[in-house]
Amino acid sequence: LPNEILFDLFEYIDIRDLYNGFWGLNERINYIIGYLRNLSLNLERYEVGLISLFGKKISRLVVNTWQDIDLRQFPRLKSLILHQITGNQLRQIRSEYMPNLVYLSTSSIPEFSLMPQLAQRIFSNEMPTIRYVDLGHVHVPHLRMWSQSPALRSLSVHTINLTIIPFILISSPNLVRLRVEFLFNTIPVFDSAPSLRNHPLKHFILSDPYHKLSFNHIYTLLAFIPNTDRIELNFLCKIPFIRFLYSLLNRLPYLNRFDCNIDDASNDKITDIQTIQQIHSCFHRIQCSTNDFHFRTFTTESKKCFFF
């Protein structure tokens, strides 16, 4: 086969299989393998030979091992997903070691003492190439040390503090998509939230599975993002659901996509689903179910969006 066809074929083969099955067969195959670029690696243990050969060619890396993998061996990373991490690795997530990094995910990592430093690095434009970030816990004490990160376009965080949302928006003036999940120990108090108007955010996802937020909290948050045209909500609604929907439209005049998984804890048992669906075209997909205790839950077809 000509080299061009082998180049194409090898792009579909896992690099671990390339290394174990093809590397060392002959000089021609070694040349073709050595010429490959933009490779992906799912790392579950330290593999010296594999990393030595392919480290500088890896653009997407998934780390799922407690071994202290030296991330500086992957200088061309564009995407980094960390399921396990050491303090040394966390300190290596810097622009001088990863000058091309566009996507970073640490969302599956339990609370870690050095995560605030990473958050500060991201929200202070110390890593100017990053566009998409899926973080774990973001701590509050370092919020006022943030500057701006104009490159950020999409962000997902887990937090216990409401105030973090306006700080994120101020720090990320070009953010288009924001997803926030509030944790079981959330403190439902705004702590000197900064004033903010007219942020360009288009897509907002809020999940409050432990029912820490009130209608007033959510209504206040919506004031920060008047340009949002798509919203996904998961929380406990303690006012009549129909009243909440009208309030939502009042805050978000450009809304055209609405997804929800909302438990209705109000005493409104009269308003029927047809009335709710007719309020606005983006509410046509809302469905209502009632449990054994006669509490209603309002959902849309996109339930899967609430699994973080």
Side-chain angles (χ1 to χ4, degrees):
L1 294 175
N3 287 356
E4 290 76 11
I5 292 180
L6 290 178
F7 279 130
D8 290 340
L9 289 174
F10 284 174
E11 288 184 355
Y12 292 93
I13 300 176
D14 182 86
I15 63 172
R16 192 171 283 100
D17 294 331
L18 282 177
Y19 177 71
N20 293 326
F22 292 89
W23 179 256
L25 288 179
N26 55 52
E27 292 184 3
R28 178 188 175 215
I29 296 297
N30 284 357
Y31 166 78
I32 293 173
I33 293 176
Y35 192 80
L36 296 174
R37 299 291 185 273
N38 297 321
L39 301 175
S40 298
L41 177 61
N42 191 330
L43 203 57
E44 296 186 351
R45 58 186 176 86
Y46 189 62
E47 301 175 68
V48 179
L50 185 69
I51 295 175
S52 298
L53 178 61
F54 291 111
K56 294 182 179 180
K57 308 175 190 300
I58 302 296
S59 63
R60 180 180 183 273
L61 177 65
V62 180
V63 177
N64 195 11
T65 174
W66 283 113
Q67 290 180 284
D68 194 10
I69 308 297
D70 188 350
L71 297 178
R72 293 174 297 181
Q73 298 173 98
F74 309 95
R76 290 189 172 87
L77 281 181
K78 295 180 180 179
S79 174
L80 176 60
I81 300 172
L82 298 165
H83 296 297
Q84 312 289 350
I85 194 169
T86 65
N88 186 48
Q89 290 168 345
L90 201 54
R91 284 184 285 268
Q92 291 173 355
I93 304 176
R94 297 179 177 275
S95 59
E96 55 262 40
Y97 303 136
M98 304 173 187
N100 304 306
L101 194 65
V102 174
Y103 175 79
L104 172 66
S105 173
T106 61
S107 62
S108 61
I109 297 173
E111 189 168 351
F112 194 73
S113 60
L114 295 178
M115 290 299 284
Q117 287 91 321
L118 176 61
Q120 182 184 343
R121 219 172 293 151
I122 291 170
F123 292 111
S124 300
N125 205 32
E126 293 182 28
M127 303 186 68
T129 60
I130 283 191
R131 300 288 187 274
Y132 313 98
V133 179
D134 189 356
L135 285 177
H137 298 187
V138 177
H139 299 271
V140 175
H142 292 265
L143 288 174
R144 290 172 176 79
M145 298 175 65
W146 296 356
S147 55
Q148 283 201 338
S149 185
L152 274 180
R153 296 296 183 271
S154 178
L155 176 69
S156 176
V157 298
H158 301 72
T159 186
I160 65 170
N161 193 293
L162 283 167
T163 312
I164 197 172
I165 293 181
F167 273 101
I168 285 174
L169 295 172
I170 288 174
S171 178
S172 312
N174 297 310
L175 198 66
V176 175
R177 180 180 182 273
L178 174 62
R179 183 178 71 173
V180 181
E181 180 174 7
F182 291 98
L183 304 176
F184 72 94
N185 53 342
T186 292
I187 305 169
V189 176
F190 274 107
D191 178 21
S192 302
S195 60
L196 175 68
R197 292 290 183 270
N198 209 35
H199 192 280
L201 189 79
K202 294 296 184 182
H203 186 182
F204 182 53
I205 305 170
L206 180 148
S207 181
D208 176 34
Y210 299 100
H211 304 159
K212 298 294 184 178
L213 307 186
S214 69
F215 163 76
N216 288 334
H217 292 132
I218 295 176
Y219 195 61
T220 301
L221 289 175
L222 295 178
F224 299 132
I225 51 172
N227 296 300
T228 297
D229 59 22
R230 179 176 181 181
I231 194 165
E232 304 174 33
L233 300 172
N234 174 17
F235 73 102
L236 178 67
C237 187
K238 297 180 182 179
I239 67 169
F241 186 62
I242 191 169
R243 177 187 162 195
F244 170 74
L245 294 181
Y246 278 117
S247 300
L248 186 72
L249 293 175
N250 182 55
R251 283 290 202 225
L252 306 179
Y254 305 107
L255 188 67
N256 60 42
R257 173 80 183 199
F258 176 77
D259 290 290
C260 70
N261 184 3
I262 297 176
D263 293 322
D264 182 7
S266 72
N267 293 319
D268 179 18
K269 309 300 180 185
I270 300 175
T271 307
D272 57 48
I273 187 62
Q274 289 76 23
T275 301
I276 289 172
Q277 292 172 339
Q278 292 170 7
I279 295 173
H280 190 279
S281 59
C282 67
F283 300 148
H284 288 173
R285 296 163 42 255
I286 297 177
Q287 300 296 321
C288 179
S289 60
T290 305
N291 64 18
D292 295 337
F293 300 97
H294 305 291
F295 284 103
R296 301 196 296 180
T297 298
F298 294 96
T299 59
T300 54
E301 298 168 358
S302 302
K303 295 178 183 178
K304 63 182 180 179
C305 66
F306 297 107
F307 291 94
F308 283 78

